[in-house]
Amino acid sequence: MTAGLVVAGLLATGCSGSSGNGSGSGGGTTTLVAYTGQSGDYQINFNPFSPTQIGGGAAIYEQLFFINKAGSGDPEPLLGTDYSWNDEGTQLSVTLRDGVKWTDGEAFTADDVAFTFGLLKKHAALNSIGYDGSAKAVDDTHVVFTFDKPAYTQGPDVLGNTYIVPEHLWKDVNPETDVMEKPVGTGPLKLGDFKAQAFTYVANEDYWGGAPAIKTVRFLSLSGNTAGADGVAAGTIDWQTGPVPNIDKVAETYPGYGSATVNQSQTALLTCSSKDMGCAGPQTDPAVRRAIYHAIDRKQLNALAFQNTSSEISPTFVLTSNQKDLISSSIEQPVAPETADVAAATSELEGAGWSKGSDGIYAKGGEKLSLTVEVVTGWTDYITAVQTMAQQLKKAGIELKVAQSSWNEWTEKKTQGKYELAIDSLYQGSAPDPYYVYNNFFASSAGAKVGKTSGNNVSRFSDPDVDAAIKSLRQLPQDDKAARQPFLDTIEQKIVEDMPYIPVLTGGTTSEWSTKKFTGWPSDDNMYAVPAVWSKNDFAAIIKNLKPAS
């Protein structure tokens, strides 16, 4: 899979695929070999706040709660056991687990929690969640977070997306630069041996939740996806996330292995959409964007570019796997069509004054409907996708050209607004809630005029009603569907009509694992965590659930 607009959290939502039953005996091994896609030497870094941290972070440093975005999103107790908001949504009270010890034997208390969140406030470079509250330890097992205004939508980040560190060790280090070679946490694993080509975690035998049955996890560094696939074929890798041949038939092709494909990154054609913000080109016409949407044959695209690992997508960018009830009832087409509708594309274009030329391509005011889509060199799935779409769109009178460039150049074009189209994914936030996609990618505050560096809103979309609705959602409890839905309706209606991001498919991330050696993996019937080996929070949840096969 290719990278999303911003690497944040690396969490997924939704799922498809199956888990194989495997065959034979695993011999009762308690050592699991994992491959995250690492190529080249590991650089030691167990600082959980660092963007270059390695390994399964949450297995050492824990959050207050675990939030499974493949499920309901209800926080599950970890270091925290209970939480509540005040009526105004400005104060979040958390009860902590008693009797927890750091792996150096020191007691974990509310002071550690307050200290950790104080670090975020003090060091803006660490504060990826945008935390703006204040945390106070009431006693050893109670902490209160206070905000200046209602902050319900910060709840999932505070509760489930922040690793707690020990004050007695971190008070004297620079958290922005220290790599923490000897990490001390509260989680189910501890650091064992470290070498550049492989390192190990070992079981924390004093873990508050009981020592895990998996006693050693060995992380490998290999040459890339091909080597990972070879490891699965040879049975030398027990868990990896990445493509393998015959990815839709893992259990049959690789006896003793199972798999699942989790769909959460919503692939889209990003557009520099706003003339008012300085964008130029045919894509600034909403009718053109909607015509492209109708002209895509998603079924063919999935087969040719994504090995049928992608799934349906809603034009509202609400995930249909576990958020579908949040799609506005006013949306006539809640899910993008599987096949192309050239007639609908034609109606959009001709209704907006575009006329087909002798070459079969539409034009208007002397401007040919020819667009360039930016893609990163080496992203083979996306390159195949845009080449396929070029053939599909030609049938609707739209010319699509492909431009490949380095990741740095591609990123600069998007953030500076110096592009027409680009292919990428809109990632999910800290909980299964469309608010996070809307706030990240559609809020005016995340955009910028062309030539200025934008945030995630690289489309330069701006609508005062959408901004107002996003602001209102921040102040409402996330479980109050009745109060929230009118604001979601406003956002969804606006973005479906304007379509600054043209929905393609919901991308799939496939993981493979040994059912011969281990039991307890997530399944379609029990997707208790997202089984991507590099998804740190989920990694820890899965390690605690696995047992050696007998």
Side-chain angles (χ1 to χ4, degrees):
M1 283 299 296
T2 47
L5 276 166
V6 175
V7 179
L10 293 173
L11 295 176
T13 283
C15 63
S16 65
S18 61
S19 294
N21 293 323
S23 62
S25 171
T29 180
T30 60
T31 297
L32 182 146
V33 179
Y35 178 53
T36 65
Q38 171 79 17
S39 59
D41 289 349
Y42 281 108
Q43 302 296 319
I44 193 166
N45 187 351
F46 294 97
N47 179 341
F49 304 118
S50 171
T52 58
Q53 64 176 296
I54 60 175
I60 289 180
Y61 300 100
E62 293 186 293
Q63 322 90 282
L64 299 175
F65 294 81
F66 170 64
I67 297 177
N68 175 19
K69 290 188 290 184
S72 67
D74 294 332
E76 302 171 15
L78 288 174
L79 293 177
T81 59
D82 195 15
Y83 69 95
S84 62
W85 286 96
N86 67 354
D87 291 341
E88 293 76 27
T90 57
Q91 197 169 81
L92 176 62
S93 299
V94 179
T95 300
L96 303 176
R97 190 176 299 278
D98 195 13
V100 175
K101 299 284 187 181
W102 296 100
T103 50
D104 64 357
E106 293 288 325
F108 159 78
T109 72
D111 288 332
D112 295 308
V113 178
F115 170 79
T116 298
F117 283 90
L119 279 183
L120 299 189
K121 288 289 292 290
K122 184 177 179 180
H123 298 272
L126 309 181
N127 194 4
S128 61
I129 66 171
Y131 170 72
D132 61 2
S134 62
K136 181 180 179 180
V138 178
D139 55 36
D140 282 353
T141 58
H142 293 86
V143 62
V144 174
F145 299 88
T146 303
F147 303 88
D148 291 337
K149 52 189 176 183
Y152 291 108
T153 52
Q154 280 200 37
D157 280 324
V158 170
L159 296 174
N161 209 27
T162 301
Y163 301 125
I164 308 303
V165 297
E167 179 181 15
H168 67 279
L169 296 178
W170 282 71
K171 63 183 180 181
D172 298 321
V173 303
N174 184 337
E176 296 185 31
T177 59
D178 199 298
V179 297
M180 300 308 294
E181 294 186 13
K182 298 179 179 179
V184 170
T186 60
L189 299 178
K190 304 187 295 185
L191 180 62
D193 297 327
F194 180 87
K195 295 181 180 179
Q197 290 301 312
F199 69 90
T200 61
Y201 281 163
V202 296
N204 176 6
E205 297 296 337
D206 298 319
Y207 181 54
W208 59 262
I214 304 302
K215 300 304 179 184
T216 305
V217 178
R218 186 166 184 250
F219 286 93
L220 300 179
S221 173
L222 301 174
S223 59
N225 286 340
T226 299
D230 290 343
V232 171
T236 56
I237 291 176
D238 302 318
W239 183 12
Q240 77 138 13
T241 300
V244 294
N246 297 317
I247 201 168
D248 58 334
K249 298 179 180 179
V250 168
E252 294 90 334
T253 307
Y254 309 94
Y257 279 83
S259 69
T261 298
V262 176
N263 298 87
Q264 65 92 26
S265 295
Q266 298 177 97
T267 306
L269 288 175
L270 320 180
T271 81
C272 191
S273 67
S274 174
K275 286 184 178 179
D276 292 340
M277 299 293 281
C279 298
Q283 83 288 345
T284 59
D285 184 346
V288 169
R289 302 194 291 267
R290 294 192 298 268
I292 293 172
Y293 169 80
H294 289 298
I296 297 172
D297 185 329
R298 292 171 176 81
K299 185 175 182 179
Q300 180 190 57
L301 189 65
N302 198 4
L304 295 180
F306 303 116
Q307 296 191 67
N308 288 315
T309 60
S310 291
S311 63
E312 67 182 17
I313 190 169
S314 171
T316 65
F317 288 100
V318 173
L319 278 179
T320 61
S321 55
N322 60 349
Q323 304 170 29
K324 199 168 187 176
D325 62 338
L326 299 178
I327 297 177
S328 174
S329 60
S330 67
I331 303 300
E332 295 182 4
Q333 192 178 57
V335 175
E338 280 194 343
T339 56
D341 187 343
V342 174
T346 299
S347 177
E348 289 281 4
L349 293 174
E350 295 184 354
W354 292 86
S355 301
K356 187 172 287 189
S358 58
D359 60 354
I361 303 300
Y362 280 95
K364 180 180 179 181
E367 180 181 39
K368 187 175 180 179
L369 213 177
S370 178
L371 294 161
T372 298
V373 58
E374 308 288 343
V375 64
V376 175
T377 301
W379 285 5
T380 55
D381 52 353
Y382 277 0
I383 292 169
T384 301
V386 293
Q387 290 172 341
T388 301
M389 282 189 280
Q391 295 300 314
Q392 295 174 349
L393 268 56
K394 188 175 182 180
K395 297 176 183 177
I398 303 169
E399 183 177 67
L400 192 66
K401 299 178 180 179
V402 182
Q404 299 184 39
S405 60
S406 69
W407 185 86
N408 287 336
E409 184 179 357
W410 171 81
T411 300
E412 183 177 1
K413 287 178 179 179
K414 290 186 306 171
T415 56
Q416 293 290 312
K418 298 177 180 179
Y419 75 105
E420 293 178 331
L421 304 176
I423 187 169
D424 198 12
S425 294
L426 277 59
Y427 65 86
Q428 298 298 304
S430 54
D433 187 326
Y435 161 82
Y436 297 98
V437 170
Y438 298 154
N439 185 56
N440 286 336
F441 297 102
F442 294 90
S444 298
S445 59
K449 285 187 175 292
V450 170
K452 301 288 186 180
T453 301
S454 74
N456 290 325
N457 183 2
V458 297
S459 73
R460 275 68 187 169
F461 173 79
S462 179
D463 185 284
D465 292 337
V466 170
D467 288 338
I470 290 173
K471 184 177 180 179
S472 295
L473 287 171
R474 293 174 187 159
Q475 302 178 39
L476 292 171
Q478 290 178 286
D479 60 357
D480 191 345
K481 184 179 184 301
R484 298 177 82 236
Q485 193 61 50
F487 300 109
L488 292 172
D489 291 348
T490 295
I491 297 169
E492 292 165 15
Q493 291 160 10
K494 292 279 188 176
I495 66 176
V496 170
E497 175 65 23
D498 198 86
M499 207 163 280
Y501 304 95
I502 303 169
V504 178
L505 286 162
T506 302
T509 299
T510 302
S511 301
E512 303 86 33
W513 51 72
S514 174
T515 54
K516 178 180 179 181
K517 297 179 183 178
F518 306 99
T519 63
W521 297 101
S523 66
D524 286 347
D525 295 332
N526 184 20
M527 191 61 66
Y528 64 85
V530 175
V533 68
W534 38 252
S535 184
K536 296 177 174 61
N537 299 353
D538 300 276
F539 171 85
I542 292 170
I543 284 296
K544 290 189 291 185
N545 202 65
L546 293 182
K547 291 180 173 56
S550 57

